[in-house]
Amino acid sequence: MQLRESNIRQLTEQTFDTLVIGAGINGASAAAALSGKGSSVALIDRGDFAGSTSMHSSNLVWGGIKYMESGDFKLVRKLCKSRNHLIRSYPSTVQEIRFLTTIDKGFRHHPLYPWAGTWLYWLMGSAFTRMPHFLRPAAIKARESIIDTSNAQGGFEYSDAYLHDNDARFVFSFVRNALDFGAMVANYVESLGSRREGDVWVTQVRDGIDGRTFEIRSRVLINAAGPWVDQHNRLTQQPTDHHHVFSKGIHLIVPRLTPNKRVLAFFADDGRLFFVIPMGRRTCIGTTDTRVDSPDVSVTEDDIRFVLDNINKRLELDSPLTSEDIISTRCGVRPLAVKPSGGNDRDFLNLSRKHAIDIDRNSCHLSIFGGKLTDCLNVGEEVVAEVRQLGIDMPHPEHRWYGEPDEAVREDFMHQASRMGLDSMTHPDASEPLSTRLWRRYGRQALELLEDIRLDPAQAQVLIEGTEYLRCELKLARRSEMVTKLDDFLRRRSKVSLVVSEATLHASPGLMEACRILFDDQAEQRLAEYWQSRQALPRGEAAEEAG
């Protein structure tokens, strides 16, 4: 926690160009973009980085094919270009994947109609991915034997993209970039409200770990608090054109249903797209779309029944999935940006996730509404443009603030990894070679891990049974990833608690060793706090507040 404590001290020592409140995907990308261009930036979150909506996604990076039906072609074109840009910029993390969609008899369109739509979608995406294909029921069955095709009219296969790791880890890559560019970043620092004094914003904050309060001064204030944007604007008495309405979505993580690396897509009983998504040795299924009034949500028995009923109707499994098969859940809200006249019940399911940035130029205040992982680079660039319009200098306007390190760095890492036989140390149950995984997760910092392993080969050993995380990764997380609570590592810097059941995790002797690496003499306290927090949750995983 030394990095966090050092940053908190420095938050009070200067007036920043910009304070960003909220470190989900919008706030993290905004902070990385601004600091990468040379602006002085502070970034805080009252929970952990990516602690709410940004850790509950489907892990899909897609161009929004569902918006084709509503005719929002401009948005689809923009999202397809964003998807393509992310695939080029993060080739190890954002990867093309095939979607196999099955159309049942009685669907509102013949399969040829949506198949034609996938061709238009492919063309709107600049033919960047593999071409779509029409499939008869027999061809669907040949590709994926677990699909029940007895009621199928046909289907189609097309391409989009997904995150090979997890969404919260992707968000943290932007936080890490912001840190590398000199931003002062701290999790578990809650804004209590901001006031304007002359040409400076003064934000009163509270350290969520020790309860101290202090002030952060900035010329520009960016409200990127995700689902809590409206709440913070009320604290600051900041009027806006947009506000949020909320849709709750859940996913269930179950043992791997198919070894094939593709997304299975269906239309659920309520008419919306429903997915079976690969997650290494696990499968993620969902999602729901339930209008709620608050961003504080949890998984209900009705949610679980909906997902299980829909998947069991569409797959031929050796035995139907039950609640006993659920390893973990994801549950959060989609914050949907609307104007006062929008978001009524009639068109709720057709609302898009496109972002909106409301700007008060007189007070130098920005509010970011909506948004999604696919559009994150656009958010960063738009925020930079708007902050420059407010008079903040960007000393390095052409600097590229995102993406994986240069190919030369990757080649150096792979060469060193090969020379030391790193891949021969890969655990037999691992889903990919060690060199591939470490590069994707850590980029340039992966070179530090090689050095740790050279000095002590035991650092390449898996620490927690049933996962792929090494001792050296825990050490790196401690010194550079601001892990403050155990859940920060288990759920967000990694996806341990998503893919390993609580019972297995509880019985793991490696868990206490992990705590000792992360927290030293506070290890037992942090572990006890973690299990206490799990007992306090309702069934499933309640969305944590962020911002």
Side-chain angles (χ1 to χ4, degrees):
M1 292 177 55
Q2 290 179 343
L3 177 59
R4 178 181 181 273
E5 291 168 356
S6 172
N7 283 0
I8 286 179
R9 284 196 300 270
Q10 295 182 69
L11 285 173
T12 64
E13 294 176 357
Q14 69 180 91
T15 297
F16 295 90
D17 289 332
T18 305
L19 169 62
V20 182
I21 297 173
I25 188 59
N26 288 339
S29 59
L34 290 165
S35 55
K37 304 289 186 183
S39 175
S40 64
V41 177
L43 171 66
I44 61 172
D45 195 296
R46 72 178 178 187
D48 189 31
F49 312 119
S52 183
T53 293
S54 294
M55 74 171 185
H56 293 299
S57 77
S58 300
N59 272 22
L60 300 179
V61 179
W62 59 331
I65 192 171
K66 75 172 188 174
Y67 306 134
M68 298 281 289
E69 190 170 9
S70 59
D72 200 345
F73 298 120
K74 183 177 179 181
L75 175 62
V76 173
R77 170 63 176 161
K78 180 181 179 182
L79 291 177
C80 282
K81 290 171 66 177
S82 299
R83 176 204 64 194
N84 298 349
H85 192 28
L86 283 171
I87 292 174
R88 285 191 295 263
S89 301
Y90 295 92
S92 302
T93 301
V94 183
Q95 299 176 349
E96 179 179 348
I97 192 169
R98 297 297 271 178
F99 282 61
L100 197 165
T101 304
T102 302
I103 304 296
D104 287 335
K105 296 172 184 176
F107 184 65
R108 58 184 181 271
H109 300 299
H110 188 277
L112 288 173
Y113 182 83
W115 172 67
T118 65
W119 275 92
L120 179 57
Y121 184 64
W122 180 68
L123 292 171
M124 292 179 74
S126 303
F128 183 80
T129 59
R130 294 165 57 193
M131 291 188 297
H133 296 291
F134 180 78
L135 301 172
R136 299 188 183 281
I140 294 173
K141 195 71 173 177
R143 280 172 166 79
E144 285 290 351
S145 60
I146 65 169
I147 296 178
D148 183 356
T149 57
S150 60
N151 192 45
Q153 293 188 76
F156 48 88
E157 194 173 57
Y158 69 99
S159 287
D160 251 312
Y162 85 129
L163 293 173
H164 190 92
D165 210 306
N166 66 324
D167 43 12
R169 181 77 206 179
F170 184 63
V171 173
F172 184 76
S173 72
F174 291 100
V175 175
R176 184 66 252 177
N177 283 354
L179 283 162
D180 291 342
F181 295 139
M184 290 299 112
V185 177
N187 50 358
Y188 298 100
V189 174
E190 179 182 7
S191 169
L192 303 177
S194 307
R195 66 185 186 275
R196 190 73 173 167
E197 292 186 357
D199 59 354
V200 170
W201 281 100
V202 179
T203 302
Q204 185 83 5
V205 302
R206 177 172 54 221
D207 186 333
I209 302 303
D210 64 16
R212 290 177 298 167
T213 60
F214 56 95
E215 293 180 341
I216 303 174
R217 302 173 70 84
S218 63
R219 297 178 181 86
V220 175
L221 185 65
I222 298 180
N223 180 358
W228 291 273
V229 165
D230 295 305
Q231 176 181 308
H232 194 272
N233 281 336
R234 287 192 292 271
L235 281 177
T236 312
Q237 299 181 342
Q238 187 69 39
T240 56
D241 292 332
H242 291 83
H243 69 278
H244 277 144
V245 294
F246 305 112
S247 167
K248 185 179 81 168
I250 78 153
H251 297 85
L252 308 181
I253 313 301
V254 299
R256 186 169 64 184
L257 300 180
T258 171
N260 299 315
K261 189 178 171 181
R262 62 164 61 91
V263 176
L264 309 184
F266 308 93
F267 286 91
D269 293 345
D270 65 357
R272 67 173 276 109
L273 280 169
F274 186 86
F275 299 110
V276 176
I277 304 165
M279 185 184 278
R281 293 182 299 160
R282 303 290 184 242
T283 295
C284 177
I285 54 177
T287 178
T288 57
D289 197 348
T290 309
R291 182 162 188 169
V292 292
D293 295 326
S294 166
D296 300 301
V297 293
S298 60
V299 180
T300 67
E301 294 296 336
D302 286 343
D303 295 329
I304 292 173
R305 190 178 308 112
F306 174 86
V307 174
L308 292 178
D309 286 350
N310 272 279
I311 202 63
N312 286 326
K313 286 179 184 177
R314 290 159 176 82
L315 298 182
E316 289 184 330
L317 303 172
D318 292 338
S319 58
L321 288 174
T322 71
S323 59
E324 299 301 314
D325 296 303
I326 299 171
I327 297 167
S328 62
T329 64
R330 314 178 89 163
C331 176
V333 296
R334 308 170 187 89
L336 305 170
V338 299
K339 290 192 173 182
S341 60
N344 57 57
D345 291 328
R346 178 181 57 82
D347 61 3
F348 176 70
L349 291 178
N350 291 323
L351 288 174
S352 77
R353 291 285 304 279
K354 63 184 177 183
H355 70 269
I357 302 177
D358 282 5
I359 305 159
D360 184 337
R361 299 192 184 280
N362 291 329
S363 66
C364 296
H365 185 283
L366 282 70
S367 300
I368 307 176
F369 294 88
K372 59 191 300 177
L373 291 170
T374 309
D375 213 20
C376 61
L377 301 186
N378 290 328
V379 170
E381 293 290 353
E382 289 174 29
V383 166
V384 166
E386 296 297 347
V387 171
R388 289 186 71 180
Q389 289 290 318
L390 297 175
I392 300 300
D393 183 38
M394 301 290 164
H396 310 294
E398 303 304 318
H399 185 77
R400 189 171 185 263
W401 52 273
Y402 55 86
E404 293 183 12
D406 294 340
E407 183 63 22
V409 180
R410 181 183 182 278
E411 289 178 358
D412 182 32
F413 169 78
M414 290 299 179
H415 176 69
Q416 293 189 44
S418 176
R419 289 290 301 273
M420 64 187 289
L422 180 69
D423 287 346
S424 67
M425 305 177 194
T426 304
H427 192 277
D429 295 333
S431 60
E432 59 187 335
L434 260 183
S435 59
T436 301
R437 195 178 73 81
L438 295 184
W439 173 258
R440 185 186 69 251
R441 286 178 56 82
Y442 303 104
R444 194 183 304 273
Q445 286 187 303
L447 290 163
E448 299 178 33
L449 300 180
L450 293 186
E451 186 61 24
D452 288 341
I453 294 169
R454 281 194 196 98
L455 295 173
D456 177 11
Q459 295 300 312
Q461 295 174 357
V462 171
L463 189 58
I464 301 174
E465 297 79 0
T467 75
E468 300 183 35
Y469 297 93
L470 313 181
R471 282 185 172 86
C472 59
E473 292 182 80
L474 271 294
K475 291 175 64 177
L476 181 61
R478 171 186 171 137
R479 64 179 178 258
S480 67
E481 296 191 350
M482 222 173 291
V483 174
T484 305
K485 300 182 180 181
L486 182 56
D487 198 42
D488 300 343
F489 177 77
L490 294 180
R491 178 62 177 83
R492 288 174 288 278
R493 307 300 182 274
S494 75
K495 54 184 178 184
V496 169
S497 63
L498 279 178
V499 301
V500 177
S501 69
E502 283 196 5
T504 301
L505 195 58
H506 210 295
S508 170
L511 185 60
M512 176 51 77
E513 184 178 348
C515 287
R516 291 194 182 101
I517 294 172
L518 292 169
F519 306 116
D520 282 337
D521 57 356
Q522 294 185 343
E524 292 188 5
Q525 176 187 345
R526 294 297 182 208
L527 183 58
E529 287 174 352
Y530 175 75
W531 289 122
Q532 185 177 10
S533 70
R534 301 304 298 170
Q535 293 171 0
L537 290 175
R539 169 152 192 169
E541 186 176 53
E544 297 181 21
E545 294 188 355

